[in-house]
Amino acid sequence: MAGVSRATASRVFTGKARVSDATRRAVERAARQLRYVPNQAARSLVTGRTDTVALVIPEPVPWLFGDPFYPVLIRGINEALSSHEVQLVLLAPQSPAERERVERYLGRRPVDGVLLTALHERDPMPERLRERGLPVVLGGRIDGDPRLSYVDIDNLGGARRATEHLIQAGRHRIATITGPLNRVSALDRRAGYRQAQAAAGLPPLEEEGDYTPEAGERAMRRLLERQPDLDAVFCASDPTAVGALRALAAAGRRVPQDVAVVGFDDAALAATTEPPLTTVHQPIQEMGREMARLLLELIAEPARVGRRVTLATELVIRASSGGGR
Amino acid sequence: MAGVSRATASRVFTGKARVSDATRRAVERAARQLRYVPNQAARSLVTGRTDTVALVIPEPVPWLFGDPFYPVLIRGINEALSSHEVQLVLLAPQSPAERERVERYLGRRPVDGVLLTALHERDPMPERLRERGLPVVLGGRIDGDPRLSYVDIDNLGGARRATEHLIQAGRHRIATITGPLNRVSALDRRAGYRQAQAAAGLPPLEEEGDYTPEAGERAMRRLLERQPDLDAVFCASDPTAVGALRALAAAGRRVPQDVAVVGFDDAALAATTEPPLTTVHQPIQEMGREMARLLLELIAEPARVGRRVTLATELVIRASSGGGR
DNA sequence: TCACCTTTTGAGAGCGATTTCACAGTAGTA
DNA sequence: TACTACTGTGAAATCGCTCTCAAAAGGTGA
């Protein structure tokens, strides 16, 4: 319709090669009239690229409690992707069967690369995908093949500084409510707590939670039974801290006068608790950006060895820990 | 490697044609050794199918407040999809620019069909996608081209019954806090409230919210100023009702003795408010199932005319409305 | 005007699968 | 034994695009 060969038309749509202005316009006009859009499958077949990357969120339950973790992460990812005309798709398997289906699906290479988050400690999925030749970047550290790239938050350092903050505020009977201990992030946060306690010569006092307020509340009650005179608690997540605050209120303890509380996440809800929550800020959007950057690198240069990035956390001091250091 | 032609190997992987048991096993063994997986792009090119459908969630902000709306919807969708070996991918554009990119992307037909939710009243996206020949099913009614298929919740009927319930409980000064009025669902719920009020000869008393607790709290305060002696409020969502409860508590009103409260959604949080919330249950998982079913039909038979399904809602009576009818 | 260089364009191969069509075997029937 | 009817398999076309290579067109300077 534009009076040119398929080759030239293709040049207009891919935009790489030079085409004279006149023909470009003719082709574009024809395309508009015909409502023509290049077929993705045919294009992928020859280029070997789909210009799509997947974010796999194998989280069965809550999209993180009322807190915009994924929206922020996604915004960061899209930020890095947008300049490359790469589309992000989400895969959210809600059961083990669906996880397997997602893995089979990804094996057929409908995407150029995969971002994985919310992994458990020894999840085999990333390694299997990498073996199939798919570029993979993890959100969150995992102890495994050193060829796997990841972007992590400095959970250990953040937890250590949070605990140190409590120690410097004069607290001496500091407990912790951990996250689910099959998650590396939970282990790292506990390790940070332990380091700080050990350095100050204080004994650890721990109860396991699972990052939810309900578990946090139960764990706090158990801690109060075990050690009624505790004067501080480091919670491995902000929702956990919310639960702990509830349990403390129910037990008649004042925060921060009787018990200081520190959380982790700097979720939106941290600023709105009563009292406002001292917590560890994690740069979620930057994490997304960095994950996407690494993945694009890996796609461009698949032979590349695994790269690891750890992003710094920052202590945000509010009223729940008894104020500034 | 299996000593057969590509044609036969293909027959094994597609599974449609008959292949002798011996060759099937030989091909499968070879595939396993070679780690061979059919390439999706090449397959799509010839079959014209991608065995993928997209769920587009153009929601910029909260993935619905701490409430698993999308996980439940997704579970329903996957339920209907799983028997057809069709993979669901999510597209979550977080800005107008990203929405456009998603639309361009879908135009290249990387999916067989599209599910759309959380639309505003006059959103042009579904119509544009349908024009491009993409099968589309909407989650939630939209007034537009009758060729568009949708699955809706009976918002009007649910709201009407909720209001009637308040009237039958002897309330006579019943207000409503609506949702964002650019959403069809919010308009329908308001219409249901109005119908019930008009039928009982009661005047409407309305404030606009946006389905969030914050807006609900503000709206409730405004209502109390406008009509201090109101004795009931119908809230267009459960989070809205949570906000309203906060405002009522702050104003010293007892629920349900002074003011009866009814919500809409039957979100998880409805059962845990103080007092537990009377609300309108919507069958989210069934909605997802039905959306996927309609879409699969449409993919199989694209010429099909638009189909509309409305799912019934159900009033769940708890303490916040003063008990049983 | 001619030789030479640069830009623009077209012909055709090829990406990796599926699928049609025809042809061997193999078995069943007369 | 000959004929028919299936089954199972392979050869080759095809899907819609991109990209290499070579030729045509357009410019430049002598």
Side-chain angles (χ1 to χ4, degrees), chain A residues 65 214 246, chain B residues 242 245 266-277 318:
Chain A
F65 209 79
E214 291 73 23
R246 274 208 292 264
Chain B
V242 168
L245 288 175
D266 198 19
L269 60 83
T272 65
T273 55
E274 184 43 45
L277 194 62
R318 300 203 181 89

Side-chain angles (χ1 to χ4, degrees), chain A:
Chain A
M1 180 160 178
V4 301
S5 69
R6 285 154 54 217
T8 302
S10 171
R11 280 187 265 260
V12 171
F13 297 116
T14 52
K16 306 272 178 194
R18 280 158 317 159
V19 180
S20 78
D21 250 29
T23 40
R24 153 161 290 119
R25 271 195 298 273
V27 170
E28 279 167 352
R29 204 164 49 79
R32 218 172 308 124
Q33 288 191 15
L34 297 168
R35 303 180 145 279
Y36 169 84
V37 176
N39 177 293
Q40 182 63 54
R43 174 178 279 184
S44 296
L45 185 54
V46 42
T47 60
R49 307 267 267 98
T50 62
D51 296 315
T52 303
V53 304
L55 168 62
V56 180
I57 309 177
E59 191 137 29
V61 207
W63 296 61
L64 237 60
F65 209 79
D67 184 56
F69 178 84
Y70 283 108
V72 174
L73 188 76
I74 290 169
R75 184 163 309 123
I77 293 169
N78 274 329
E79 228 174 274
L81 251 35
S82 60
S83 49
H84 292 251
E85 270 295 305
V86 170
Q87 177 65 46
L88 177 72
V89 308
L90 274 58
L91 296 170
Q94 305 276 311
S95 70
E98 287 176 19
R99 279 186 62 140
E100 273 191 39
R101 192 136 66 91
V102 162
E103 224 181 298
R104 277 205 306 281
Y105 176 73
L106 291 173
R108 275 176 265 149
R109 313 209 55 120
V111 299
D112 295 336
V114 179
L115 301 169
L116 281 165
T117 65
L119 293 167
H120 288 211
E121 197 183 359
R122 289 234 143 270
D123 196 313
M125 172 140 70
E127 183 50 31
R128 283 208 293 255
L129 292 175
R130 201 194 55 73
E131 273 175 8
R132 281 205 193 291
L134 266 168
V136 173
V137 172
L138 309 182
R141 191 162 66 81
I142 192 169
D143 290 318
D145 196 301
R147 285 167 300 184
L148 280 170
S149 298
Y150 64 68
V151 177
D152 200 13
I153 297 285
D154 181 17
N155 288 299
L156 192 148
R160 181 161 36 73
R161 278 190 304 279
T163 311
E164 286 167 357
H165 165 67
L166 291 169
I167 295 168
Q168 283 163 24
R171 312 285 169 159
H172 293 99
R173 287 175 299 279
I174 306 170
T176 186
I177 303 173
T178 71
L181 293 175
N182 56 1
R183 293 280 199 89
V184 177
S185 63
L187 292 170
D188 283 352
R189 290 172 194 183
R190 185 181 65 177
Y193 162 81
R194 286 181 174 178
Q195 277 189 10
Q197 289 284 91
L202 298 173
L205 175 59
E206 304 170 356
E207 279 287 343
E208 182 172 354
D210 62 6
Y211 287 155
T212 68
E214 291 73 23
E217 192 171 352
R218 285 193 300 272
M220 189 70 240
R221 277 200 298 265
R222 289 195 301 271
L223 285 172
L224 287 172
E225 276 174 31
R226 287 173 56 186
Q227 180 140 356
D229 63 342
L230 60 80
D231 58 9
V233 57
F234 164 61
C235 302
S237 84
D238 285 349
T240 301
V242 168
L245 287 175
R246 274 208 292 264
L248 287 167
R253 303 293 209 284
R254 292 167 305 162
V255 175
Q257 295 88 333
D258 301 332
V259 179
V261 177
V262 175
F264 203 112
D265 287 346
D266 197 20
L269 61 82
T272 65
T273 54
E274 185 45 44
L277 194 62
T278 292
T279 187
V280 179
H281 176 80
Q282 34 180 357
I284 299 170
Q285 187 160 349
E286 194 182 339
M287 183 179 185
R289 220 161 32 218
E290 200 57 30
M291 287 173 71
R293 262 196 356 89
L294 283 190
L295 187 61
L296 290 174
E297 273 183 32
L298 216 52
I299 290 170
E301 205 178 331
R304 193 149 198 147
V305 70
R307 291 193 44 186
R308 280 109 193 272
V309 173
T310 301
L311 301 175
T313 51
E314 193 185 337
L315 188 64
V316 178
I317 297 174
R318 300 201 182 89
S320 72
S321 62
R325 66 178 59 172

